[in-house]
Amino acid sequence: MRAVRPEGTRVQVGGVEVGGPGFVVMAGPCAVEGAEQLESAARAVAQAGAHLLRGGVFKPRTSPYAFQGMGEPGLKLLVDAGRRHGLPIISEVMETEQLPLMAEHADILQVGARNMQNFGLLRALGRLRKPVLLKRGLSATVQEWLSAAEYILAGGNEQVLLCERGIRTFETSMRNTLDLAAVAWAKERTHLPVIVDPSHATGIPSLITPMSLAAAACGADGLLIEVHPRPEQALCDGQQAMSPGDFATLMQRLPGVLAAV
Ligand code: PEP
Ligand code: MN
């Protein structure tokens, strides 16, 4: 990063610090689907010890006929659920036009993999003074990912979190290929916090726990995980959603790994 500084960037989100000594877990459904679904998910992740609640209200779907997210009413549900459970919220912004609404209500603005090089959106985010989580693009090199982050930093917004969510390779057994070496690399050579999303990286619920523990072991600053109260009924990414029970077990196992590194 151009603005090299010896100490790492620490980003404050509500009462949570990302990039400091603590390990931050953001969890919740891929998409906000309704009040009851979100409340069950929020209650489960809060009880298990998550630090932030995730939930998409604008969804970047491959097909235009797939569920596109609840939009503004979904955002209101997310804000209310976050408040009820004392969790700051993270949600994806897909278009510059959505920024005023999202920036007013979300604590972290997520830029999805498909928008990593949407330079107009990145420039607009650079003009804000709000935390942004920038996902690595579907086929982006580490340098392209960092250059995309630089667009936000260059505008004066220093609250940038990198997120490794797997990249597309020749391997098809998993949804993507989780590049944990890139996480260690980015931790070594940039000052930005790095978050790992094992849900989109693998697409397979049983792999989320081992990859989360590995992410903690290799120096990541936190995780972004999809949890759904009833994965089989999810309107989006249900096949990769973790059950609340498995998420709680993962949360119990993380401290052991973090203490060992
Ligand atoms: C998501 O977080 O639900 C999402 C769409 O992720 P990605 O941009 O990494 O595919
Ligand atoms: Mn998803």
Side-chain angles (χ1 to χ4, degrees):
M1 320 269 38
R2 217 158 31 140
V4 182
R5 53 175 81 95
E7 80 286 7
T9 292
R10 293 184 181 199
V11 174
Q12 309 298 330
V13 189
V16 181
E17 181 181 71
V18 192
F23 189 79
V24 175
V25 179
M26 314 176 190
C30 177
V32 176
E33 299 169 7
E36 192 276 325
Q37 169 251 15
L38 187 64
E39 173 55 22
S40 315
R43 192 185 323 116
V45 301
Q47 277 173 3
H51 307 94
L52 275 94
L53 176 64
R54 72 148 280 156
V57 299
F58 295 113
K59 295 305 303 175
R61 305 305 301 277
T62 301
S63 165
Y65 308 116
F67 174 59
Q68 302 287 307
M70 286 184 71
E72 193 168 350
L75 183 60
K76 185 168 180 340
L77 293 179
L78 189 64
V79 169
D80 290 348
R83 282 216 188 102
R84 268 196 305 277
H85 295 282
L87 302 177
I89 57 172
I90 172 168
S91 196
E92 176 165 353
V93 57
M94 285 175 58
E95 296 166 22
T96 311
E97 296 68 46
Q98 296 162 355
L99 260 187
L101 174 73
M102 296 302 282
E104 184 181 343
H105 298 290
D107 298 290
I108 302 182
L109 300 166
Q110 174 176 325
V111 177
R114 290 154 192 80
N115 264 323
M116 189 203 81
Q117 285 186 318
N118 180 338
F119 298 120
L121 179 61
L122 299 178
R123 279 208 183 89
L125 287 161
R127 291 191 284 274
L128 300 180
R129 296 296 175 265
K130 270 217 99 123
V132 177
L133 178 137
L134 178 66
K135 289 204 172 194
R136 184 174 176 187
L138 301 177
S139 305
T141 65
V142 170
Q143 288 303 336
E144 286 163 345
W145 185 28
L146 299 185
S147 292
E150 202 71 58
Y151 268 84
I152 305 168
L153 298 168
N157 186 355
E158 299 192 343
Q159 304 173 68
V160 178
L161 313 174
L162 297 170
C163 178
E164 160 63 32
R165 47 77 74 203
I167 47 171
R168 190 163 283 184
T169 66
F170 55 80
E171 178 53 61
T172 55
S173 309
M174 289 148 283
R175 183 171 179 181
N176 288 293
T177 299
L178 177 57
D179 189 1
L180 285 180
V183 174
W185 192 98
K187 283 301 295 175
E188 198 174 288
R189 289 158 209 247
T190 82
H191 56 80
L192 297 176
V194 184
I195 303 298
V196 170
D197 171 351
S199 302
H200 294 87
T202 66
I204 301 174
S206 63
L207 298 184
I208 294 176
T209 293
M211 292 304 95
S212 295
L213 299 175
C218 79
D221 294 287
L223 297 165
L224 179 67
I225 299 180
E226 290 187 347
V227 177
H228 195 289
R230 286 171 303 279
E232 66 291 347
Q233 289 172 23
L235 298 180
C236 186
D237 281 351
Q239 74 293 341
Q240 71 191 29
M242 218 179 187
S243 69
D246 287 347
F247 178 70
T249 306
L250 166 62
M251 291 300 285
Q252 283 164 9
R253 291 182 64 188
L254 275 170
V257 171
L258 290 164
V261 292

